[in-house]
Amino acid sequence: MKKSLSILVLAISMATLTFAQTGSGIGLKAGLNYAGNGDYFESASNSFQNPEKNIGYHIGLFGKIGNDLYLRPELVYTKIKTDYDSGEFDMTKIDVPVLIGAKILGPIHVFGGPAFQYILDTEFDGVDIDDVENEFTVGLNFGIGLSFNKIGVDLRYERGFTENEATFFDNNNVSLANRVDTRPEQLILSLSFEF
């Protein structure tokens, strides 16, 4: 019993010392997205129009546990925009990436992990779209970053996994059979500050 208690106390002490030296903290992040969604299908011509990516933005919070090897959950408000031949598709969402990262050389680190997304609002050419197939979707984030004390910058790629579409309805709630693929694909450039 005494031996088990000693081992337990030693393990807790080592874990506490390790955690105290890990560089854990919380912070703010913001930046720009170069983003686009998938194809737009139109009922009248029965064709799809290739999207053009556009600039959006994001702002959020993050937590970090660890130093050389770390866990970084984030909570981010994101606004993205895609241009089509017949209009502009806007989407706002809440992203929750859960990233695992590692320092590889000096201030350089790499990271990756799942990104859980909740779609708040979708709009096509000024018309709100209420019928999104799945408001909750899953994607992947991975990238590279630089950390200088409390300030960091990172560049990442995000891709939605879950197939998802928004369908248009007219004023009488009749489907127009126009659909937009709402899976985002984006490059994300962020500046962060850790408290």
Side-chain angles (χ1 to χ4, degrees):
M1 176 74 172
K2 231 179 195 184
K3 188 175 181 180
S4 297
L5 185 59
S6 298
I7 291 172
L8 180 61
V9 168
L10 180 61
I12 291 172
S13 299
M14 289 177 65
T16 303
L17 288 172
T18 302
F19 186 75
Q21 297 174 8
T22 59
S24 300
I26 59 170
L28 296 173
K29 63 173 285 182
L32 299 175
N33 309 345
Y34 180 64
N37 291 86
D39 291 330
Y40 168 58
F41 299 88
E42 201 170 21
S43 61
S45 64
N46 207 13
S47 65
F48 67 89
Q49 300 165 351
N50 293 322
E52 285 186 32
K53 294 181 178 179
N54 210 326
I55 302 291
Y57 64 89
H58 66 275
I59 186 166
L61 304 167
F62 68 89
K64 183 180 172 195
I65 302 168
N67 194 18
D68 291 340
L69 183 64
Y70 61 86
L71 175 68
R72 181 173 163 147
E74 300 178 350
L75 179 64
V76 183
Y77 174 84
T78 303
K79 173 92 169 162
I80 60 176
K81 188 186 307 187
T82 306
D83 291 324
Y84 295 92
D85 295 338
S86 58
E88 185 177 272
F89 179 71
D90 293 319
M91 182 167 68
T92 55
K93 60 190 181 114
I94 297 292
D95 290 318
V96 182
V98 181
L99 307 171
I100 295 175
K103 282 188 177 181
I104 56 172
L105 182 63
I108 302 171
H109 57 100
V110 294
F111 54 86
F116 304 96
Q117 303 154 1
Y118 181 75
I119 297 173
L120 297 172
D121 189 35
T122 53
E123 183 179 291
F124 189 83
D125 211 22
V127 177
D128 285 335
I129 303 170
D130 294 328
D131 189 30
V132 176
E133 188 177 329
N134 298 305
E135 291 178 336
F136 179 78
T137 61
V138 179
L140 174 69
N141 268 219
F142 63 88
I144 188 166
L146 297 169
S147 294
F148 304 101
N149 293 324
K150 304 249 180 229
I151 296 177
V153 62
D154 69 63
L155 179 65
R156 67 181 71 176
Y157 173 79
E158 177 186 282
R159 176 65 176 153
F161 284 149
T162 311
E163 284 191 21
N164 203 18
E165 290 183 345
T167 304
F168 297 66
F169 288 87
D170 66 11
N171 291 338
N172 298 321
N173 208 26
V174 175
S175 173
L176 299 175
N178 296 357
R179 305 181 320 274
V180 173
D181 181 358
T182 62
R183 282 180 296 180
E185 180 178 18
Q186 56 185 334
L187 285 175
I188 305 167
L189 180 63
S190 300
L191 183 65
S192 61
F193 178 77
E194 190 175 324
F195 298 112

